[in-house]
Amino acid sequence: YPVSLQERVVNAETIVLGTVAGKETFLDSSTMQVLTLNKISVTAWLKNQQSAVSVYVITSGGVYKDRATIVTPSLQMENGNEYVLFLQTAPVKFENKQLKIQQPSAFQTIAYAGAQGALVKSFEQYVDVLDQPKQNEETLFQKIQNITGQKALTPKGELFKARPQQPASNK
């Protein structure tokens, strides 16, 4: 069912602006389903700011060795793409056990409302799968700030200002 921006902002534990910096698949040992661990390089925290420079978002589906899991609808993120992510702490059963051993303090999350838990940046606008009008960064951040009462901050705790929209080229 469609989840409004208001509901996503209110119910997400944290909201981040970040870029996919890497992906790896792993097997959920209890269900034998393939999950994808997406490493997100955090540009700004839009809700419940932390000092972490990266978070990990676990999504359903992927290819692992000779096994594939396809989940529809599901959130599929691409390396190098920038997203606004509405996140919740991942349940222990979904956590990547290897990452937990290697980096016990790594923040492992899942997207609130599945595929609706991410807005991808495309041509300087953020796209909502709910077919809402595309929004520029300043408008989107202001809407989120109006709901949370929190300003966007970098992982260092500095104020993050929405980047000006680049004028469209007439080519």
Side-chain angles (χ1 to χ4, degrees), residues 39-95:
K39 181 179 183 180
I40 308 298
S41 177
V42 177
T43 304
W45 293 88
L46 307 180
K47 181 180 178 184
N48 293 335
Q49 192 262 342
Q50 300 178 28
S51 59
V53 295
S54 60
V55 297
Y56 294 84
V57 180
I58 299 165
T59 54
S60 298
V63 177
Y64 179 80
K65 297 182 181 175
D66 63 346
R67 187 180 283 277
T69 302
I70 299 170
V71 180
T72 308
S74 69
L75 176 56
Q76 300 298 316
M77 294 188 279
E78 298 296 324
N79 274 328
N81 281 358
E82 190 171 50
Y83 297 86
V84 170
L85 297 158
F86 303 87
L87 303 173
Q88 294 182 296
T89 301
V92 173
K93 66 180 182 172
F94 288 130
E95 286 184 343

Side-chain angles (χ1 to χ4, degrees), residues 35-150:
L35 300 173
T36 300
L37 183 69
N38 301 273
K39 181 179 183 180
I40 308 298
S41 177
V42 177
T43 304
W45 293 88
L46 307 180
K47 181 180 178 184
N48 293 335
Q49 192 262 342
Q50 300 178 28
S51 59
V53 295
S54 60
V55 297
Y56 294 84
V57 180
I58 299 165
T59 54
S60 298
V63 177
Y64 179 80
K65 297 182 181 175
D66 63 346
R67 187 180 283 277
T69 302
I70 299 170
V71 180
T72 308
S74 69
L75 176 56
Q76 300 298 316
M77 294 188 279
E78 298 296 324
N79 274 328
N81 281 358
E82 190 171 50
Y83 297 86
V84 170
L85 297 158
F86 303 87
L87 303 173
Q88 294 182 296
T89 301
V92 173
K93 66 180 182 172
F94 288 130
E95 286 184 343
N96 180 295
K97 310 297 184 252
Q98 283 302 112
L99 180 61
K100 192 74 167 169
I101 292 166
Q102 294 167 353
Q103 298 179 48
S105 63
F107 188 27
Q108 295 191 52
T109 65
I110 57 172
Y112 176 79
Q116 298 175 68
L119 305 180
V120 65
K121 186 175 185 181
S122 177
F123 299 104
E124 303 294 323
Q125 301 277 311
Y126 287 90
V127 180
D128 194 330
V129 295
L130 283 181
D131 198 31
Q132 307 266 337
K134 295 175 182 164
Q135 303 175 74
N136 68 28
E137 198 166 88
E138 186 175 2
T139 302
L140 177 61
F141 284 19
Q142 190 60 56
K143 284 181 181 178
I144 293 171
Q145 183 180 326
N146 288 345
I147 297 167
T148 64
Q150 300 174 31

Side-chain angles (χ1 to χ4, degrees), residues 6-18:
Q6 165 95 18
E7 184 178 339
R8 286 176 275 174
V9 171
V10 168
N11 291 318
E13 288 174 32
T14 60
I15 303 172
V16 301
L17 169 67

